[in-house]
Amino acid sequence: MTTLVDRTDTLTRDALAVLQPGFVGTTAPDWLLRRIGEGLSSVGLFGRNITSPGQLAALTAQLRAEREDVLVAIDEEGGDVTRLEVRTGSSFPGNYALGSVDDVELTRAVAAELGRRLAECGVDLNWAPSADVNSNSDNPVIGVRSFGADPELVARHTAAYVRGLQSAGVAACTKHFPGHGDTAVDSHHALPRIDVELATLHSRELLPFRAAISAGSKSVMSAHILLPALDPDRPATLSPQVLTGLLRQELGYDGLIVTDGMEMQAISAVYGIERGSVLAIAAGADAICVGGGLADEDTVLRLRDALVTAVRKGELPEERLADAAARVRALADWTRGARGAASEPGAASQEGTAPGTEIGLTAARRAVRVTVGDPLHEPLTTAPYVAAFTPVANIAVGDETPWGVAAELSRLLPGTETGTYADAAVDDVLLAAGGRRIVAVVRDAHRHPWMSRSLDALVAARPDTIVVEMGLDAVPPRGALHVATYGAARVCGIAAAEAVTGT
């Protein structure tokens, strides 16, 4: 006979099981360990939690000492979005660089090596890859996080990435369903809206997600975007039509559905995180991602209690919450088994996945595109002046990760000097450079008119200027030499420095 106490305990454990919270610090706080003991099944890690591979391994071991099957998740896309190497820049190029090479075996190998490093540190769920088709070049939040603007290309590389990552025993989380590529608004700040017909959604946005499902993606992350063709009232994360009707029933997806961060303004400013979380689980989501901005015990307790209260009031079916919790636990079981399989002798012996490989740098070198604009151009042989025109980074990328080519040029050409500019201060650049050759480094110059004006003025004043574009290469080449890296990872900076010096 089930008692009220038993039912309350089950509800509480299920409500905790569907949460994926974050925390502050490089060791787990007592409150987090206590909640894991009470039923919390997942923990999300961010750059603030990581200082080194050894420290990360110790942290995940600490979490699993409390509960062996806890899911440890991270947002490690490689490229511009890195948590493992947030202070140095990633050892792997991002999706746009991989898509520009268009070698699916290379993409698989990069994802497998990234997965191997995550697994080695005890991480078993990666909120990646981005399967968004970047059809809007002015998109402020996706950009180089996408494999490109061609749905077929994005689909084949999404599938390769999923297979590579999961071959290392790390669950993929394909995002941002049903597609965040055709937006001009960052959902961290407001609710984006995509006004396209269903036929376009199926032929463009959904194609990569179909490929990910066929490849066996263990989880899918929802997007906080409004698509009136699917649901005119609620964003995808809160929409039964999108999560249950489209993803579950029409596309036949049976894995874990994870929400994007619930504290993002597209949800929190309109619904609040408590009501938003209830609506998301009711709509078909299984796990609530929260912790990028809200990373405390109070947030976990508020969401736990909101879910339990919603069940008691009849606003959330008890069986829906139980089903969501069961899916979280099922993924935890898969990752526990996959960790063992991936650690067996020979499990990571395929080319591109073995420890110590330089697959990331190899991929970045293959991605670089060089356009010589001046037939008299000579490679850099003396220390230049690097002018970095720096836009405001989107929240997904963060502004703490270094980018550019100055550090690598300084290594190759000692004495290299650099300056950072946030507006069209061309006279300041010319004054600082003096007689040195100028290397102008930009990121998505097409989205920042001041940046484009600066480049035009620099090239006019100094025709021997070298331009390095580390974002979308969406404008005609400028300068005596134009280098497109298709991303701003550390390895992209190395490849660019090699290109301009001819090494």
Side-chain angles (χ1 to χ4, degrees):
M1 174 177 168
T2 302
T3 67
L4 180 60
V5 172
D6 292 334
R7 181 169 179 262
T8 299
D9 184 60
T10 298
L11 280 177
T12 299
R13 292 186 69 84
D14 285 350
L16 281 171
V18 303
L19 304 180
Q20 290 189 351
F23 63 95
V24 176
T26 54
T27 59
D30 290 342
W31 70 261
L32 182 65
L33 297 175
R34 185 167 60 252
R35 300 306 170 190
I36 290 173
E38 293 172 0
L40 185 69
S41 297
S42 309
V43 175
L45 300 181
F46 298 85
R48 64 181 178 237
N49 304 122
I50 301 166
T51 59
S52 70
Q55 171 270 324
L56 177 55
L59 171 57
T60 58
Q62 182 190 18
L63 295 170
R64 291 204 170 91
E66 193 66 38
R67 178 173 177 172
E68 199 277 334
D69 64 343
V70 67
L71 277 170
V72 181
I74 199 169
D75 193 8
E76 181 59 48
E77 298 177 15
D80 291 28
V81 180
T82 180
R83 310 305 179 216
L84 284 181
E85 300 177 280
V86 67
R87 291 165 184 80
T88 61
S90 181
S91 299
F92 303 92
N95 286 1
Y96 190 47
L98 295 171
S100 72
V101 177
D102 196 13
D103 178 345
V104 292
E105 178 54 27
L106 178 67
T107 295
R108 186 211 61 80
V110 166
E113 172 61 12
L114 179 58
R116 185 193 67 78
R117 295 189 188 186
L118 289 172
E120 195 173 60
C121 294
V123 176
D124 51 18
L125 171 59
N126 190 12
W127 295 319
S130 168
D132 307 295
V133 179
N134 199 58
S135 54
N136 183 348
S137 62
D138 289 329
N139 194 315
V141 68
I142 301 301
V144 296
R145 301 168 67 197
S146 166
F147 288 109
D150 176 6
E152 294 280 357
L153 179 146
V154 175
R156 61 179 173 265
H157 285 276
T158 295
Y161 195 105
V162 167
R163 292 189 178 103
L165 187 66
Q166 293 186 169
S167 73
V170 175
C173 185
T174 306
K175 61 188 183 185
H176 307 79
F177 186 84
H180 210 311
D182 191 18
T183 60
V185 173
D186 184 343
S187 51
H188 289 90
H189 303 300
L191 178 63
R193 177 185 176 111
I194 299 180
D195 287 299
V196 296
E197 297 178 350
L198 276 176
T200 300
L201 287 173
H202 279 276
S203 64
R204 189 179 66 185
E205 271 73 20
L206 295 180
L207 204 63
F209 290 97
R210 291 182 185 274
I213 292 169
S214 295
S217 184
K218 294 297 178 180
S219 61
V220 168
M221 178 176 283
S222 66
H224 303 331
I225 55 176
L226 187 69
L227 298 100
L230 295 172
D231 187 334
D233 301 315
R234 289 184 179 175
T237 294
L238 311 183
S239 170
Q241 292 95 311
V242 174
L243 298 188
T244 299
L246 177 59
L247 184 53
R248 289 279 188 230
Q249 296 172 358
E250 186 172 345
L251 300 186
Y253 182 63
D254 194 41
L256 188 77
I257 300 177
V258 183
T259 73
D260 207 345
M262 295 301 287
E263 64 267 58
M264 294 163 64
Q265 292 297 298
I267 299 295
S268 62
V270 180
Y271 300 91
I273 62 168
E274 293 96 333
R275 181 166 178 256
S277 296
V278 170
L279 291 174
I281 298 295
D286 305 307
I288 302 295
C289 178
V290 64
L294 299 173
D296 53 47
E297 184 177 21
D298 179 64
T299 298
V300 173
L301 297 180
R302 284 163 53 201
L303 295 184
R304 179 201 66 183
D305 293 347
L307 291 167
V308 170
T309 299
V311 170
R312 288 174 173 163
K313 288 184 174 180
E315 299 170 351
L316 173 64
E318 185 173 353
E319 58 272 20
R320 171 76 275 271
L321 179 61
D323 174 64
R327 289 180 188 275
V328 174
R329 294 172 186 134
L331 181 58
D333 287 342
W334 178 87
T335 59
R336 184 166 47 175
R339 283 200 301 274
S343 64
E344 293 174 359
S349 62
Q350 295 179 329
E351 183 181 357
T353 64
T357 184
E358 292 190 351
I359 188 67
L361 182 54
T362 297
R365 285 168 174 158
R366 289 183 62 184
V368 163
R369 296 293 182 272
V370 177
T371 303
V372 179
D374 182 348
L376 299 179
H377 162 74
E378 293 290 339
L380 274 178
T381 57
T382 58
Y385 182 77
V386 179
F389 294 99
T390 305
V392 175
N394 72 60
I395 293 177
V397 173
D399 58 9
E400 68 270 39
T401 304
W403 69 284
V405 299
E408 300 307 324
L409 283 176
S410 294
R411 179 177 59 83
L412 296 172
L413 299 172
T416 294
E417 295 185 4
T418 187
T420 301
Y421 302 88
D423 55 36
V426 175
D427 289 342
D428 293 339
V429 175
L430 294 172
L431 181 62
R436 293 169 178 259
R437 195 165 179 190
I438 297 172
V439 178
V441 187
V442 294
R443 199 173 187 176
D444 292 336
H446 70 286
R447 291 202 305 111
H448 305 283
W450 68 267
M451 206 179 287
S452 288
R453 289 194 298 270
S454 297
L455 290 181
D456 289 339
L458 270 181
V459 171
R462 295 282 296 271
D464 65 345
T465 295
I466 296 171
V467 176
V468 180
E469 170 61 81
M470 303 194 79
L472 287 183
D473 193 33
V475 295
R478 296 177 172 95
L481 190 73
H482 182 96
V483 179
T485 63
Y486 301 95
R490 176 173 52 83
V491 287
C492 296
I494 294 173
E498 293 173 346
V500 301
T501 58
T503 58

